[in-house]
Amino acid sequence: MRIRRRTAAITGTAAALALALSACGQAEQDDMEQPAQQPAPAPAEPQPMADGVTTADDVFGPGCAQVPTDPNDPGSVQGMVDDPVGTAASNNPLLTKLTAAVQAADLGDTLNKTDTPYTVFAPADPAFDALPKETLDALLTDPAKKQQLTDILTYHVVPQRMDADGLAQAKTVPTAQGGQLTVEGSGENLKVNGASVLCGNVPTANATVFVVDKVLMPGQ
């Protein structure tokens, strides 16, 4: 009788041990089957838009409030989308003096080439008002000053389409005039050769436009 009880006790102990070992083995297997926890990915940095092409939703800056809001108005952001940049600028009420300068330099057709992408830094009218009147009048009317006017205007044109993020990452960009522009800051604090962006990422058919508060001068 004692032998049977002892045998039963041993058998019970062995069964319990086997069950415990089985449970441990299953737990280890479950742990091995669980995928390793991956660290959270770092936040992605803003990337330039493909080919520098923007939409009306990407436009930014305090000066944009001065642009017509009626999408049927050719001078509105929405109205500029389908026109090449020379035509689009001529319809924008912020850029009447730039338009006059472009016409005086006979650059309208060049800027309107739809197969040529551009980034254009367009001085708003008050930027031209900051120039000495006699200097501006001479540039616009004196045939001997036409090349100088052309150099000034093409210094505002980058022969590549870029958005604000692309400009901020590039830091310097070559111009159609042959010089380079220096870009500082980012987003709504973007500056080009020290000029602040009043309204940026403005889309046209062949260019992205940044309205700026200064006339950029080569060599300065």
Side-chain angles (χ1 to χ4, degrees), residues 9 16 23 34 39 59-60 68 75 77 86 89 93 106 110 114 127 157 168 171 196 219:
Q34 290 295 328
V59 172
F60 68 90
V77 170
D106 293 326
T110 299
T114 55
V157 178
K171 304 298 184 186
S196 296

Short mmCIF file of all heavy atoms in Angstrom, two decimals, residues 9 16 23 34 39 59-60 68 75 77 86 89 93 106 110 114 127 157 168 171 196 219:
data_model
loop_
_atom_site.label_atom_id
_atom_site.label_comp_id
_atom_site.label_asym_id
_atom_site.label_seq_id
_atom_site.Cartn_x
_atom_site.Cartn_y
_atom_site.Cartn_z
N ALA A 9 2.67 9.17 -6.04
CA ALA A 9 3.21 10.51 -5.76
C ALA A 9 4.30 10.87 -6.75
O ALA A 9 4.38 11.99 -7.26
CB ALA A 9 3.74 10.57 -4.32
N ALA A 16 3.56 16.65 -13.29
CA ALA A 16 3.53 18.11 -13.07
C ALA A 16 4.78 18.77 -13.66
O ALA A 16 4.72 19.84 -14.26
CB ALA A 16 3.44 18.40 -11.57
N ALA A 23 4.98 23.83 -20.71
CA ALA A 23 4.50 25.23 -20.72
C ALA A 23 5.64 26.20 -21.00
O ALA A 23 5.49 27.17 -21.75
CB ALA A 23 3.83 25.57 -19.39
N GLN A 34 6.96 35.68 -32.11
CA GLN A 34 6.56 37.08 -32.12
C GLN A 34 7.58 37.90 -32.89
O GLN A 34 8.77 37.78 -32.67
CB GLN A 34 6.46 37.62 -30.69
CG GLN A 34 5.30 37.05 -29.88
CD GLN A 34 3.96 37.46 -30.46
OE1 GLN A 34 3.85 38.54 -31.00
NE2 GLN A 34 2.98 36.58 -30.35
N PRO A 39 11.91 49.84 -34.01
CA PRO A 39 11.87 51.22 -33.51
C PRO A 39 11.02 52.10 -34.42
O PRO A 39 10.92 51.86 -35.63
CB PRO A 39 13.34 51.66 -33.55
CG PRO A 39 13.98 50.76 -34.56
CD PRO A 39 13.26 49.44 -34.45
N VAL A 59 0.62 77.71 -52.32
CA VAL A 59 1.02 79.11 -52.28
C VAL A 59 1.06 79.60 -50.83
O VAL A 59 0.22 79.23 -50.01
CB VAL A 59 0.03 79.96 -53.11
CG1 VAL A 59 0.29 81.45 -52.94
CG2 VAL A 59 0.14 79.57 -54.58
N PHE A 60 2.04 80.45 -50.51
CA PHE A 60 2.19 80.96 -49.15
C PHE A 60 2.73 82.37 -49.17
O PHE A 60 3.32 82.81 -50.16
CB PHE A 60 3.14 80.06 -48.34
CG PHE A 60 4.57 80.13 -48.80
CD1 PHE A 60 5.46 81.06 -48.28
CD2 PHE A 60 5.04 79.27 -49.79
CE1 PHE A 60 6.78 81.14 -48.71
CE2 PHE A 60 6.36 79.34 -50.24
CZ PHE A 60 7.23 80.27 -49.69
N PRO A 68 -5.92 88.80 -56.52
CA PRO A 68 -7.36 88.52 -56.66
C PRO A 68 -7.70 87.09 -56.25
O PRO A 68 -6.93 86.16 -56.50
CB PRO A 68 -7.63 88.75 -58.15
CG PRO A 68 -6.56 89.72 -58.58
CD PRO A 68 -5.35 89.37 -57.75
N GLY A 75 -5.55 87.20 -63.08
CA GLY A 75 -4.48 87.60 -62.18
C GLY A 75 -4.50 86.88 -60.85
O GLY A 75 -3.60 87.06 -60.02
N VAL A 77 -4.30 83.49 -58.32
CA VAL A 77 -3.40 82.33 -58.32
C VAL A 77 -3.95 81.23 -59.21
O VAL A 77 -3.21 80.63 -60.02
CB VAL A 77 -3.20 81.82 -56.87
CG1 VAL A 77 -2.47 80.48 -56.88
CG2 VAL A 77 -2.43 82.84 -56.04
N GLY A 86 5.32 84.67 -68.51
CA GLY A 86 5.29 86.05 -68.98
C GLY A 86 3.87 86.60 -69.01
O GLY A 86 3.60 87.72 -68.55
N ALA A 89 2.35 86.78 -65.31
CA ALA A 89 2.84 87.93 -64.56
C ALA A 89 2.15 89.21 -65.02
O ALA A 89 1.84 90.10 -64.21
CB ALA A 89 4.35 88.05 -64.70
N PRO A 93 -1.79 91.91 -60.48
CA PRO A 93 -1.74 93.32 -60.09
C PRO A 93 -0.52 93.69 -59.25
O PRO A 93 -0.23 94.88 -59.10
CB PRO A 93 -3.03 93.51 -59.28
CG PRO A 93 -3.39 92.14 -58.79
CD PRO A 93 -2.94 91.20 -59.86
N ASP A 106 12.17 93.06 -74.20
CA ASP A 106 11.74 92.06 -75.19
C ASP A 106 11.98 90.62 -74.72
O ASP A 106 12.43 89.76 -75.48
CB ASP A 106 12.48 92.27 -76.53
CG ASP A 106 12.08 93.57 -77.21
OD1 ASP A 106 10.91 93.99 -77.09
OD2 ASP A 106 12.96 94.19 -77.84
N THR A 110 10.55 84.87 -74.59
CA THR A 110 11.48 83.93 -73.94
C THR A 110 10.85 83.31 -72.70
O THR A 110 10.91 82.09 -72.50
CB THR A 110 12.79 84.65 -73.56
OG1 THR A 110 13.41 85.15 -74.73
CG2 THR A 110 13.74 83.69 -72.85
N THR A 114 6.81 77.44 -73.46
CA THR A 114 6.17 76.43 -72.61
C THR A 114 7.00 75.17 -72.46
O THR A 114 6.73 74.35 -71.57
CB THR A 114 4.78 76.07 -73.16
OG1 THR A 114 4.91 75.66 -74.54
CG2 THR A 114 3.85 77.26 -73.09
N ALA A 127 8.99 97.25 -54.99
CA ALA A 127 10.44 97.01 -55.12
C ALA A 127 11.04 97.92 -56.18
O ALA A 127 12.15 98.43 -56.03
CB ALA A 127 10.70 95.55 -55.45
N VAL A 157 15.84 84.96 -62.90
CA VAL A 157 15.28 83.75 -63.51
C VAL A 157 16.26 82.59 -63.36
O VAL A 157 17.43 82.69 -63.73
CB VAL A 157 14.99 83.99 -65.01
CG1 VAL A 157 14.45 82.70 -65.65
CG2 VAL A 157 13.99 85.13 -65.19
N ALA A 168 15.32 75.91 -50.58
CA ALA A 168 15.91 75.92 -49.24
C ALA A 168 17.01 74.87 -49.12
O ALA A 168 18.02 75.10 -48.44
CB ALA A 168 14.82 75.68 -48.19
N LYS A 171 20.34 76.02 -51.39
CA LYS A 171 21.16 77.11 -50.81
C LYS A 171 21.64 78.12 -51.85
O LYS A 171 21.58 79.32 -51.64
CB LYS A 171 22.37 76.56 -50.05
CG LYS A 171 22.01 75.57 -48.94
CD LYS A 171 21.17 76.20 -47.87
CE LYS A 171 20.91 75.24 -46.72
NZ LYS A 171 19.95 75.80 -45.73
N SER A 196 12.90 89.22 -49.17
CA SER A 196 11.88 88.35 -48.57
C SER A 196 10.86 87.93 -49.62
O SER A 196 10.53 88.69 -50.54
CB SER A 196 11.16 89.07 -47.44
OG SER A 196 12.06 89.37 -46.39
N GLY A 219 25.87 91.09 -58.93
CA GLY A 219 27.06 91.60 -58.30
C GLY A 219 26.85 92.23 -56.94
O GLY A 219 27.79 92.67 -56.29
#
